[in-house]
Amino acid sequence: WWLNSVREGGHQGQIGGSVGEVGGLSTAAAAEEGAEAEKWKLLRQRLDSSDKLIRAAVVKDIVTLVSALLDPTVLPALLEPLTVALGDSDADSAMGSADLLMLLIQDHVTTLAESIPLQLHALLELDDKDLNEETANSRLSCIRILANEHFVAVMQELLDTGLPFKPAVKQSFQKLAKDRSILLKMMNHLTDIMNNSDPGDAEMPNPTVMAATAALGEIFKVSDPQLQGIVRKYFSQLVCTLWLRLGTANTIGAKDVAAQAARALRELCMLAQEEELILAMESKGLQQKLVGNLYDEGVAELAQLFFRIHADAAPPVFKFMQPFLTRNYDGQRVSATAVCSQLLTYCAEDTNLLSQIISCLLARATDKCELVRKQSLRGLGQLSSIWQQVDTNEWAMSVIHALVTSMDDPAEAPARESVSSLARFVDLLDDKLIAASLVNICFRLRPALDRDDPAIRGAAVDLFGRLCRFGKGAAGNNFQEQVHINLPSIVLHLNDAHVSAQEACDRCLAKMAVLFESEPLQKLLKKRKEDRMEFDDFIGQFSSMLCDQFNDRVNSYIAACLQYCKSPTEATKIAATIFLASLLASVLASSKKRVLNLSTACTTLCSLLTDHSAEVRSKAAKAMSLLHSI
């Protein structure tokens, strides 16, 4: 109380008496040092001044003298009541305690290492309602002084307070962010925790990593020119850290933690004044896409926009992300691969960097995590956009091999990316380059034509249609054999339950007709499209043409239809039933007779009359009606 009275110019007699009492204690404690008592006499003389600056200096001198008398071993015992007194209802007492507390900590900060946890706990436990603006600032200043000397201990205590942070903890991080000597050290410390600590799992996420993410978000809320300059300078590294954190948070299924990282990313963009990125996050829904099962898509989309704005950041971003491509944590590998997959189109002129990225993506194409495989295959597909700008001899076959072998990936997402990426390449490859791989591509592609995912079916059919341009080249004979093997599947998917797959089959059959040089077949396909012919009407005419042009292939078509009659997919089974009967009827009506296994075919059709699906039973009956001549 009297320290604050001195500063504010209180009753001189009362102040003098108080100083005299402390001076007397000082003199008793240092009786052998006459100079000590003299200092107190000088302080009494300066009290008469009306100058506030002089009185403030008196306060500092008094505290310095008191501090010099203290035995460091009893300091924690003194700091505890002083800390509590910050919330004193008497304003003078609170401010006097604040002055003494702050200067004592400053003078003895090197000796407080062991009492950091207790001291910080006491400061942070103060009720904000009991503090005025000055004492609240004094509390934060005490924490800053402690952090300058015992940085790691203070950071650990702040992070260990747990989430959600109390206002005092948030303010502490923001106060420290304004101290130039602490700022970079603190950002390095927090990002190191986020990047190099075990993120935990769904049942027990790592609380320190969670707290570090939240702390970084609080720091980015500070409006400070110095902080803004640092953030702009290290913007790429900070963005990468948050991309990685989004990966680890989403992988363990902690949506609230992922949302926390997404908010921190937005705060970072706002502080760095990245208006285009902010607009995209808000208008394109990227903020929401960064959280949940599609987070890798959100990261990839945001990375694409980032490189479009900061193309020169490609080399440092890859250097930062490269080690994380092989980390043990799936989420880090997913985010790192998603970012690197978007890099390729921005480094066509840097062949060394391009080769490094391609090598990394090729290695990740066989990763145990399906999202990593998916993003790596997408990245390899991005090469199609710069294919004409770079020398592809070094890695072309490796890329094609990786895409081809991934088409039969058991997971839907990587398989879909593989087929889609390879489809983009086909139009760019020359006959000599693809000839050696053409049959292998067809062999690997075969199962994809019947995958459960309609997007994969459609993409696979489209790819096969594009391959038709190689049907007259060096591997033409072998490829045409594959065309006849796959033809029944593609015809049956004209009746696919998904329109996108139907349309892909239309396009593919049109290219097959050109390859066959069959004008009647081309006209029939054109008529089907223009007249919107029903499958049953079309298949009768189509079967008749097949029997006329490829009579020697009919038995293989029939064998394929017999297999498809066992399909678990109703639309496919129905189409196979009608196609089978149409082929049999066309052969029987043709002048080019073939030896047919009618017994197996009829037995199969009869069995379909007892199928659980009414639609299948109906089509089986209709199919049998086509065979009235038997």
Side-chain angles (χ1 to χ4, degrees):
W1 173 82
W2 58 260
L3 283 173
N4 197 56
S5 295
V6 169
R7 180 163 52 190
E8 299 301 326
H11 190 276
Q12 296 300 314
Q14 194 172 41
I15 293 171
S18 300
V19 174
E21 290 172 12
V22 178
L25 289 173
S26 174
T27 304
E32 296 181 2
E33 298 182 18
E36 194 72 22
E38 188 62 31
K39 291 180 181 178
W40 290 98
K41 292 179 182 179
L42 292 173
L43 285 175
R44 289 192 188 96
Q45 294 171 8
R46 292 162 62 195
L47 289 175
D48 293 333
S49 174
S50 60
D51 190 333
K52 277 195 172 186
L53 293 177
I54 293 177
R55 291 199 300 273
V58 171
V59 171
K60 185 174 181 180
D61 291 344
I62 292 172
V63 172
T64 301
L65 289 172
V66 171
S67 177
L69 295 174
L70 289 175
D71 181 346
T73 60
V74 302
L75 185 61
L78 175 59
L79 295 181
E80 183 180 353
L82 284 174
T83 301
V84 174
L86 291 180
D88 199 304
S89 58
D90 184 272
D92 286 338
S93 177
M95 283 309 305
S97 299
D99 287 331
L100 184 55
L101 177 67
M102 189 162 59
L103 290 170
L104 284 175
I105 289 176
Q106 188 169 313
D107 286 350
H108 296 275
V109 67
T110 56
T111 67
L112 293 173
E114 294 183 3
S115 61
I116 290 292
L118 289 175
Q119 185 57 46
L120 271 179
H121 179 75
L123 285 167
L124 296 173
E125 283 299 306
L126 290 170
D127 193 330
D128 291 339
K129 295 177 182 178
D130 295 335
L131 302 179
N132 58 43
E133 185 177 349
E134 289 188 69
T135 52
N137 285 333
S138 295
R139 172 173 65 176
L140 296 177
S141 296
C142 289
I143 294 173
R144 179 183 58 78
I145 294 167
L146 290 169
N148 264 312
E149 184 66 28
H150 307 286
F151 174 76
V152 175
V154 170
M155 291 301 297
Q156 191 60 50
E157 286 302 315
L158 288 173
L159 294 174
D160 284 349
T161 57
L163 296 174
F165 286 144
K166 294 178 180 179
V169 177
K170 295 179 181 179
Q171 293 161 12
S172 298
F173 283 118
Q174 293 171 354
K175 178 76 172 180
L176 297 178
K178 294 180 180 179
D179 188 318
R180 188 175 185 82
S181 63
I182 295 177
L183 174 58
L184 272 177
K185 195 191 311 185
M186 181 167 61
M187 292 181 72
N188 285 333
H189 183 75
L190 294 174
T191 55
D192 180 63
I193 291 173
M194 293 165 64
N195 291 332
N196 299 312
S197 299
D198 185 344
D201 53 37
E203 294 182 0
M204 190 177 293
N206 187 327
T208 304
V209 179
M210 293 167 60
T213 308
L216 203 60
E218 293 302 327
I219 291 170
F220 294 150
K221 292 177 182 178
V222 176
S223 179
D224 180 72
Q226 174 184 292
L227 175 60
Q228 191 175 60
I230 293 293
V231 162
R232 285 178 175 173
K233 183 177 180 180
Y234 298 103
F235 184 67
S236 297
Q237 293 92 321
L238 291 168
V239 167
C240 287
T241 293
L242 289 169
W243 280 335
L244 293 169
R245 182 63 184 127
L246 284 165
T248 55
N250 280 294
T251 300
I252 64 175
K255 289 188 177 182
D256 54 336
V257 181
Q260 179 190 81
R263 287 193 298 271
L265 181 59
R266 187 178 184 279
E267 295 290 349
L268 170 63
C269 291
M270 290 183 69
L271 181 60
Q273 296 182 331
E274 292 284 339
E275 296 179 2
E276 203 168 340
L277 285 174
I278 297 169
L279 182 63
M281 291 179 74
E282 292 177 349
S283 62
K284 295 183 179 180
L286 283 183
Q287 185 86 12
Q288 290 73 34
K289 195 180 285 188
L290 293 171
V291 179
N293 296 332
L294 294 176
Y295 80 92
D296 64 307
E297 296 287 348
V299 170
E301 195 172 335
L302 195 58
Q304 182 183 46
L305 179 59
F306 174 86
F307 291 124
R308 196 175 73 201
I309 301 169
H310 302 285
D312 57 336
V317 166
F318 177 69
K319 183 178 179 180
F320 187 96
M321 285 297 200
Q322 189 175 12
F324 295 96
L325 290 167
T326 54
R327 285 291 180 91
N328 290 330
Y329 310 121
D330 288 357
Q332 289 187 336
R333 296 200 312 281
V334 171
S335 288
T337 307
V339 172
C340 290
S341 72
Q342 301 301 320
L343 274 171
L344 292 171
T345 54
Y346 297 93
C347 54
E349 297 179 1
D350 189 338
T351 54
N352 182 48
L353 177 61
L354 182 64
S355 295
Q356 289 184 65
I357 297 172
I358 292 172
S359 296
C360 289
L361 292 178
L362 286 170
R364 299 275 61 80
T366 55
D367 195 278
K368 66 183 181 69
C369 175
E370 70 171 86
L371 290 182
V372 175
R373 299 198 300 275
K374 166 190 168 184
Q375 289 296 335
S376 68
L377 294 167
R378 177 178 296 179
L380 294 174
Q382 298 277 9
L383 286 168
S384 61
S385 63
I386 58 171
W387 190 265
Q388 307 294 345
Q389 305 172 40
V390 296
D391 181 7
T392 61
N393 293 327
E394 179 184 350
W395 42 261
M397 290 311 300
S398 297
V399 170
I400 292 170
H401 177 73
L403 294 175
V404 169
T405 54
S406 297
M407 285 195 294
D408 52 5
D409 193 299
E412 302 289 350
R416 183 168 56 248
E417 287 298 334
S418 174
V419 174
S420 299
S421 295
L422 193 56
R424 294 200 292 272
F425 273 105
V426 166
D427 295 336
L428 303 170
L429 301 176
D430 58 48
D431 187 64
K432 292 180 180 178
L433 185 61
I434 202 170
S437 303
L438 192 56
V439 173
N440 186 32
I441 292 174
C442 294
F443 179 77
R444 296 273 189 172
L445 188 61
R446 177 73 188 83
L449 299 174
D450 299 315
R451 290 287 285 260
D452 291 337
D453 187 339
I456 296 180
R457 293 199 301 275
V461 172
D462 263 332
L463 172 56
F464 194 77
R466 294 186 183 194
L467 290 173
C468 286
R469 76 183 185 91
F470 300 106
K472 298 293 185 181
N477 291 335
N478 290 331
F479 178 74
Q480 291 202 27
E481 180 67 25
Q482 296 299 315
V483 170
H484 287 291
I485 291 173
N486 289 331
L487 186 144
S489 176
I490 294 169
V491 170
L492 294 178
H493 284 300
L494 286 171
N495 195 48
D496 199 283
H498 293 82
V499 175
S500 59
Q502 292 178 21
E503 292 174 346
C505 291
D506 270 324
R507 293 190 295 269
C508 183
L509 285 172
K511 291 174 181 176
M512 285 182 176
V514 173
L515 176 62
F516 293 150
E517 297 180 349
S518 172
E519 189 173 336
L521 189 53
Q522 291 179 50
K523 288 181 178 179
L524 175 61
L525 290 168
K526 183 179 180 181
K527 184 175 187 296
R528 163 183 155 77
K529 188 174 181 179
E530 291 175 349
D531 296 350
R532 298 183 179 179
M533 294 175 66
E534 294 292 333
F535 180 80
D536 292 9
D537 298 332
F538 165 77
I539 204 65
Q541 298 178 51
F542 183 78
S543 298
S544 179
M545 288 184 182
L546 287 182
C547 290
D548 287 343
Q549 293 188 43
F550 307 110
N551 189 259
D552 58 331
R553 300 280 184 179
V554 170
N555 274 330
S556 65
Y557 299 154
I558 290 174
C561 287
L562 288 170
Q563 288 300 315
Y564 277 110
C565 283
K566 303 172 186 177
S567 172
T569 306
E570 184 179 278
T572 303
K573 189 186 291 187
I574 288 171
T577 302
I578 295 298
F579 192 16
L580 173 62
S582 297
L583 285 170
L584 292 172
S586 297
V587 172
L588 293 171
S590 173
S591 59
K592 301 176 182 178
K593 302 297 183 183
R594 300 290 300 175
V595 176
L596 301 175
N597 189 346
L598 290 174
S599 176
T600 302
C602 291
T603 299
T604 299
L605 290 173
C606 286
S607 68
L608 292 174
L609 291 172
T610 59
D611 193 89
H612 68 278
S613 167
E615 184 68 17
V616 172
R617 296 197 301 272
S618 173
K619 289 296 181 183
K622 180 177 180 180
M624 294 182 74
S625 73
L626 299 176
L627 306 178
H628 55 82
S629 62
I630 297 178

